[in-house]
Amino acid sequence: MATLPVYRWRLAPDGMATRRQLRAMGLRPGGQEVAAQVERPRRRRGPLVAYLYRIDRAKPVRPMTPGRRSALAKAMTARRTCPSCRRDAGYCIPRSLGMCVPCSDIESAA
């Protein structure tokens, strides 16, 4: 197994990008292997690592289909609906609370 080339933060060669950078360009890795990694040193913990992919091998992002769009809308509605009061909270319910903030405040005060 070959080891990955490691570059320091902000010193990656041209022609390589992270997943986020590819997405901003309208691309995706498309099943290719990780080509390299970038490490950002930290003082008290291990370095932050970002994997790099080759831009020339990246594929265009798949278009959003009507079925995927409706499934995503249903999933987001489920994340925004409070299980206690069954109302749309207007934001994603925090998993730490398990309910909307007003319901959580009422429960903690009781």
Side-chain angles (χ1 to χ4, degrees):
M1 180 176 153
T3 60
L4 292 176
V6 178
Y7 300 101
R8 289 192 49 91
W9 197 251
R10 298 183 186 259
L11 297 177
D14 292 336
M16 292 192 177
T18 63
R19 281 181 179 268
R20 252 184 212 200
Q21 291 168 336
L22 288 175
R23 189 63 163 195
M25 293 182 246
L27 301 171
R28 61 186 169 96
Q32 66 173 299
E33 297 292 324
V34 175
Q37 70 183 28
V38 176
E39 289 187 351
R40 178 179 174 207
R42 296 192 290 182
R43 289 182 183 226
R44 299 194 174 159
R45 294 183 283 180
L48 288 175
V49 175
Y51 296 112
L52 298 173
Y53 300 90
R54 292 183 45 178
I55 295 174
D56 60 342
R57 290 188 183 172
K59 296 180 180 176
V61 175
R62 293 183 186 121
M64 183 69 78
T65 63
R68 286 175 65 193
R69 189 178 311 276
S70 69
L72 182 61
K74 287 178 186 176
M76 291 307 294
T77 301
R79 288 184 66 192
R80 294 166 54 114
T81 304
C82 176
S84 298
C85 63
R86 295 285 182 207
R87 287 186 296 190
D88 185 347
Y91 53 87
C92 289
I93 304 293
R95 289 177 52 193
S96 59
L97 298 177
M99 59 187 74
C100 64
V101 175
C103 290
S104 174
D105 290 343
I106 291 170
E107 188 173 292
S108 64

